[in-house]
Amino acid sequence: MAEAQEDEKVGGFLGWIERTGNKLPDPVVIFFYLALVLIAISVVCALAGLTALHPTQVNADGNPLVVMSQSLLSGENIAKFWVEMTKTFSHFHPLGYVLVVMLGAGVAERSGLFGAAMRAALGNAPKVILTPMVALIAMIANHAADAAYVVMIPLAGIMFHAAGRHPIAGIAAAFAGVSGGFSANILPGQLDVLLFGITEIAVEGSQLDPSWTMNVAGNWWFIFVLTFIYLPVIWYVTDKIIEPRLAKTPFSNTASADESVQDPSAKLSSNEKKGLNRAGLALLLVVGVWLVMTFGPGTPLIDEPACPAAVEAEGQCAAVQRLAPFFKSLVGGFMVLFLGAGWAYGSAVGTVKNHRDLVSMMAEGMRDMGYYLVLAFAAAHFVALFNWSNLGLIFAIHGAAGIEASGLPLPIAMGLIVLLSATLNLFVGSASAKWALLAPVLVPMLMLLGVSPEGATAIYRVGDGATNIITPLMVYFPLVLVFARRWSKDFGLGSLTAMMIPYSVWMLVTGLLLVVLWVFLGLDLGPAAPIAYSLPGN
């Protein structure tokens, strides 16, 4: 035990991060402390008369509306806090979005679909392109949430071992894909639902653009490209940097026989193959239904009345307005997709025998969301307090003016925001908690600078993922260490951190360059989601 404890001691900057981070309270409690600080700041700002001119709204005289800071200890705000507590929590947009998606994802995970799909993909990977296959599947496996860490990472180690390569290199490549590439994927998923729910609250709280509509696919093109930016990075770092260094690290051949790790080289059973085929058909069926509802008779998911032909001919109707019902329906679409595919797979392999099993899996998925409910309660009230104080909008207006006055090019400013979220990620691992802290200021500030809410979300995501793999505070970091120690008992916390640093640095650099280039070129981030933005009336 003493040797294990000594093994996990890390000096230098990483040691400082670990020691400092371990002293931080749980994110739920951090929100409580920050709320107290926010209350104190609101009182000081209200007494000092801190104000800003609203960029879009005017008063009765036609002059710009003066946004005044509000004390959170005023009688009105104290009453609002207690009277609207239930509403504040239940109307927290990410809460409903995530719970709906998880109703289906819980079935897909517990039926065994996610695990079987990852095993099938890895088992068929040619040895020549094993590393990029592991990296790509790991990034796609982000949709499986916890299952991606628990199944994908140890399977990658065994797959590398079966190919005659160092198993810890496989673990590193999978960890980099699942966690470092947390925001990269070929399709939108649960993370998009979660983050855009918080973005929606930030836009509503700023009152800058009441017409803005949440688009769950608003980062689709960006995360798709990011996937294939990270893919060669993980491939190069694994094969040219990490595996040569691991050549000096001996490993045991007994780990692959560990009963808790399923060997991906073992062939899928006939039932598992049948289940995957059924799941594929279910996926196509759900996609087909959504296509019919979007383009079929009546087009219920297209808001045609919002765009009469005459108005559209004049160019006054944005595509996002017509597609707003479709984008909002994607939350329910993901739920039905996961539910249908999981049910189809489970019925073939026997994990779902009847409707009771299905309901039980959905209930278990909700039980796993217990901590998130507590976190959402704290985050919802912190964000609400920020909005009631008007400080988020005031700071955003003055911050945007400061950036404009500095003459700092917009792509560079975006890059600095990436670095900010990457640094904060070393201490606060939860993606939703960090975005709930940053969004009330960053989203309206960037809107004032001409960057859309979708752009603000994309920029945040790059920094949030890259440093996941080097902070011991990431919830799955100790689990990955356990996976590595199955192959090498002397592999410690410092070893894992040092191994993942090259991935983190290169993913942060390439992600940062992509953000700068994307902003410079002004490319759309997703369907009907431009990065350029102008306030209503401008």
Side-chain angles (χ1 to χ4, degrees):
M1 179 64 71
E3 291 179 358
Q5 291 176 345
E6 185 68 25
D7 207 23
E8 295 180 5
K9 291 182 179 179
V10 184
F13 177 67
L14 292 173
W16 176 79
I17 290 176
E18 181 183 1
R19 291 189 298 272
T20 304
N22 287 336
K23 294 177 182 178
L24 292 175
D26 186 272
V28 173
V29 179
I30 289 178
F31 274 119
F32 173 75
Y33 289 145
L34 288 175
L36 294 179
V37 173
L38 177 62
I39 291 171
I41 293 175
S42 73
V43 172
V44 173
C45 290
L47 291 175
L50 181 65
T51 62
L53 296 179
H54 199 287
T56 61
Q57 297 183 14
V58 297
N59 56 27
D61 299 328
N63 297 317
L65 181 68
V66 178
V67 181
M68 303 183 63
S69 54
Q70 300 292 325
S71 170
L72 292 173
L73 291 183
S74 67
E76 179 184 357
N77 281 325
I78 290 175
K80 185 184 294 186
F81 178 82
W82 294 110
V83 172
E84 298 187 2
M85 180 172 285
T86 303
K87 179 181 177 182
T88 300
F89 181 41
S90 62
H91 285 56
F92 188 56
H93 295 307
L95 178 63
Y97 296 153
V98 172
L99 291 180
V100 168
V101 173
M102 287 306 298
L103 282 172
V107 174
E109 180 178 354
R110 285 162 180 77
S111 67
L113 172 61
F114 287 150
M118 284 184 272
R119 285 176 55 219
L122 274 182
N124 294 326
K127 293 182 180 181
V128 177
I129 57 171
L130 180 58
T131 302
M133 284 295 292
V134 165
L136 179 60
I137 296 166
M139 285 186 278
I140 296 173
N142 286 328
H143 290 326
D146 294 353
Y149 289 93
V150 176
V151 177
M152 180 69 199
I153 295 176
L155 289 187
I158 296 176
M159 199 64 190
F160 265 59
H161 177 258
R165 299 179 59 180
H166 203 296
I168 296 181
I171 288 174
F175 188 27
V178 170
S179 196
F182 190 61
S183 285
N185 218 302
I186 61 174
L187 291 171
Q190 300 172 47
L191 183 62
D192 297 81
V193 173
L194 175 64
L195 295 183
F196 274 112
I198 297 174
T199 303
E200 184 177 23
I201 292 177
V203 176
E204 289 180 356
S206 71
Q207 299 181 5
L208 291 175
D209 188 355
S211 66
W212 185 82
T213 301
M214 184 192 75
N215 175 1
V216 174
N219 283 170
W220 190 351
W221 310 152
F222 182 80
I223 63 175
F224 182 88
V225 172
L226 191 62
T227 301
F228 293 96
I229 293 292
Y230 283 166
L231 188 60
V233 168
I234 298 175
W235 190 355
Y236 175 82
V237 172
T238 301
D239 290 5
K240 301 300 183 182
I241 299 177
I242 300 304
E243 198 161 16
R245 291 182 59 186
L246 286 172
K248 299 179 181 179
T249 303
F251 61 89
S252 168
N253 290 323
T254 60
S256 59
D258 190 330
E259 293 180 357
S260 63
V261 181
Q262 196 169 14
D263 187 350
S265 61
K267 293 184 178 180
L268 293 170
S269 68
S270 59
N271 282 341
E272 288 174 322
K273 292 180 180 179
K274 182 179 179 181
L276 289 175
N277 289 333
R278 285 188 180 181
L281 292 175
L283 185 150
L284 293 176
L285 177 62
V286 173
V287 171
V289 169
W290 248 253
L291 288 175
V292 169
M293 289 192 294
T294 304
F295 301 108
T299 59
L301 296 183
I302 298 293
D303 190 5
E304 296 290 357
C307 297
V311 175
E312 189 168 7
E314 297 173 4
Q316 298 176 0
C317 183
V320 69
Q321 291 177 298
R322 298 179 67 241
L323 293 171
F326 170 76
F327 292 140
K328 287 185 175 294
S329 78
L330 290 178
V331 177
F334 284 127
M335 186 270 287
V336 175
L337 181 64
F338 286 134
L339 179 63
W343 191 352
Y345 176 85
S347 65
V349 300
T351 52
V352 179
K353 299 181 179 64
N354 52 49
H355 72 278
R356 299 185 189 280
D357 291 334
L358 197 70
V359 173
S360 177
M361 289 178 180
M362 297 172 75
E364 289 173 8
M366 289 297 98
R367 279 196 290 270
D368 288 347
M369 298 301 292
Y371 175 77
Y372 176 73
L373 292 175
V374 179
L375 178 63
F377 181 83
H381 285 85
F382 175 79
V383 172
L385 290 172
F386 222 125
N387 291 337
W388 298 341
S389 70
N390 286 336
L391 292 180
L393 179 57
I394 292 173
F395 291 160
I397 293 172
H398 289 300
I403 292 177
E404 288 181 335
S406 70
L408 195 66
L410 186 59
I412 302 300
M414 303 304 95
L416 293 176
I417 292 174
V418 170
L419 295 177
L420 171 64
S421 61
T423 302
L424 186 60
N425 190 46
L426 292 171
F427 302 96
V428 181
S430 170
S432 58
K434 288 191 301 294
W435 192 224
L437 292 172
L438 296 174
V441 175
L442 288 185
V443 171
M445 183 179 75
L446 291 175
M447 290 170 69
L448 293 169
L449 291 172
V451 178
S452 66
E454 293 89 352
T457 308
I459 292 164
Y460 163 76
R461 295 174 74 159
V462 173
D464 172 65
T467 50
N468 273 338
I469 51 179
I470 62 171
T471 171
L473 301 177
M474 204 276 291
V475 65
Y476 287 105
F477 202 87
L479 180 63
V480 177
L481 180 61
V482 170
F483 293 149
R485 280 183 169 170
R486 286 173 174 164
W487 298 98
S488 176
K489 296 186 182 299
D490 295 329
F491 202 83
L493 187 62
S495 305
L496 178 57
T497 306
M499 180 175 71
M500 301 311 297
I501 285 177
Y503 293 104
S504 182
V505 170
W506 280 105
M507 294 175 87
L508 184 59
V509 169
T510 53
L512 187 61
L513 291 175
L514 179 63
V515 166
V516 172
L517 181 63
W518 207 288
V519 174
F520 178 76
L521 295 176
L523 302 174
D524 283 3
L525 294 155
I531 192 168
Y533 173 83
S534 60
L535 292 172
N538 289 352

